C-alpha cells in the first residue's frame, strides 16, 4: 500500500514539474514572438534556424539573442487550420 502511495506522489510531482516547464517555455515563446529576449529583455532576438516537418507537422525554430547570446529551440505544431497547408 505504501509503495502505491509513493508511486502516486512521484507521478503527481512529475506531472507538476512538466506542467511548470511547459508554462515557462510558453511564456518565453510569447516574449520571443513579440521580438523581446526572455533573458535580457532587449529587442535583439532573431530567428537563427527554422525547419518544417511538412504540411501539418511541427516546425523546429531556434532563436538567438544578439545581445546576451541566449539561444533556445522551440518545436511548434502547425496544422491545416492555422494555414499550414495553404488551403
Amino acid at each position: 500500500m505504501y509503495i502505491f502511495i509513493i508511486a502516486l506522489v512521484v507521478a503527481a510531482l512529475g506531472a507538476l514539474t512538466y506542467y511548470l516547464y511547459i508554462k515557462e517555455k510558453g511564456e518565453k515563446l510569447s516574449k520571443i514572438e513579440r521580438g523581446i529576449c526572455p533573458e535580457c529583455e532587449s529587442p535583439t532576438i532573431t530567428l537563427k534556424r527554422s525547419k518544417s516537418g511538412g504540411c501539418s507537422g511541427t516546425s523546429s525554430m531556434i532563436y538567438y539573442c544578439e545581445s546576451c547570446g541566449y539561444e533556445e529551440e522551440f518545436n511548434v505544431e502547425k496544422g491545416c487550420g492555422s494555414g499550414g497547408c495553404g488551403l
Side-chain angles (χ1 to χ4, degrees):
M1 182 67 179
Y2 292 113
I3 292 176
F4 175 73
I5 294 172
I6 291 172
L8 189 62
V9 169
V10 168
L13 288 175
L16 177 64
T17 302
Y18 184 70
Y19 170 76
L20 293 174
Y21 169 76
I22 293 298
K23 182 180 176 187
E24 179 183 346
K25 194 92 165 167
E27 290 170 356
K28 286 181 179 181
L29 183 59
S30 177
K31 281 187 176 182
I32 287 173
E33 287 176 341
R34 290 180 283 160
I36 300 170
C37 174
E39 292 294 316
C40 67
E41 303 292 328
S42 66
T44 56
I45 198 92
T46 58
L47 182 62
K48 184 177 180 180
R49 179 179 59 106
S50 178
K51 286 182 169 180
S52 178
C55 175
S56 61
T58 59
S59 287
S60 172
M61 298 175 285
I62 296 179
Y63 290 95
Y64 178 75
C65 178
E66 296 170 358
S67 294
C68 68
Y70 169 81
E71 185 174 318
E72 189 158 359
E73 180 175 5
F74 292 91
N75 295 309
V76 180
E77 184 176 337
K78 60 178 185 173
C80 291
S82 64
C85 293
L87 298 175

